[in-house]
Amino acid sequence: AGAARFDYGLRNFEYGSGYATGWYRAGIDDITTGEARIEADSSGAAAGVGLDALLGQLGVLSLGLSASHADSGNGHRTLLGFDRSSPFFSFAIRSTWASSQYREIGDEGPKVRRSTTAIAQMPVGNGSFALAWTGQSYQRAASFDLYSATYTVPLAGRVYASLSVNRSLSMHTHQTSAL
């Protein structure tokens, strides 16, 4: 329970109405985990369920479905994902799709219609190399894509150094590099 914070990092003390939220996650059996989530504020509510299932040695399949009710109408969102982790090559892909009326607490910006993230990682030399892509399309705004390449090496103990190159594509293209 609390209050939704708006304009985080831009303004101080911009809070909305009060809200309550709950989340529960538990193992169903040795290969399946389920979860449930609910949230509500003065303008509506959302509830959802999810399932992660281990598919033998192949990886983990994730499924989710949530529904919302607000002054603007009823909506829904679905999730589909797959993760595989191994010492030689790991990858993951996760997508969500939302109807135009779907909302969650704090949804004040452009409404996301689809969001997809894909990541691939493999060991290279003493470190690891990863490629990632995130793409989002919105109900009434331009789509956005972010591409990144990262090389990470261990320095000592739990200390690592990373070199990243990122490129965003939308109405304006940006490229950054960081060490």
Side-chain angles (χ1 to χ4, degrees):
R5 184 166 183 186
F6 301 113
D7 296 325
Y8 181 75
L10 302 175
R11 295 185 192 142
N12 287 329
F13 305 111
E14 289 288 326
Y15 291 93
S17 61
Y19 74 90
T21 184
W23 182 65
Y24 182 73
R25 184 172 171 93
I28 297 169
D29 57 33
D30 290 345
I31 62 169
T32 312
T33 300
E35 67 181 72
R37 176 182 130 291
I38 189 166
E39 60 182 42
D41 66 8
S42 61
S43 10
V49 294
L51 187 74
D52 292 320
L54 180 63
L55 305 176
Q57 298 293 319
L58 192 58
V60 177
L61 177 67
S62 300
L63 305 168
L65 178 63
S66 58
S68 69
H69 172 76
D71 298 337
S72 59
N74 297 326
H76 65 277
R77 182 174 72 177
T78 56
L79 172 137
L80 177 63
F82 183 79
D83 299 83
R84 175 167 170 72
S85 181
S86 78
F88 307 108
F89 181 74
S90 299
F91 69 92
I93 185 163
R94 183 169 302 265
S95 287
T96 63
W97 298 268
S99 67
S100 61
Q101 299 300 320
Y102 183 78
R103 75 169 285 284
E104 291 180 341
I105 293 173
D107 267 350
E108 297 299 317
K111 303 289 186 236
V112 176
R113 182 171 45 90
R114 178 201 46 84
S115 179
T116 302
T117 299
I119 301 168
Q121 181 270 332
M122 61 185 283
V124 174
N126 190 35
S128 67
F129 179 72
L131 294 173
W133 165 75
T134 296
Q136 290 188 328
S137 60
Y138 301 93
Q139 300 293 342
R140 292 181 186 89
S143 295
F144 175 82
D145 290 285
L146 176 66
Y147 301 87
S148 68
T150 304
Y151 183 68
T152 303
V153 293
L155 297 178
R158 295 180 185 222
V159 178
Y160 294 84
S162 295
L163 173 64
S164 285
V165 176
N166 304 298
R167 184 173 179 90
S168 65
L169 299 175
S170 63
M171 290 179 61
H172 307 287
T173 300
H174 300 283
Q175 185 165 331
T176 60
S177 299
L179 178 60

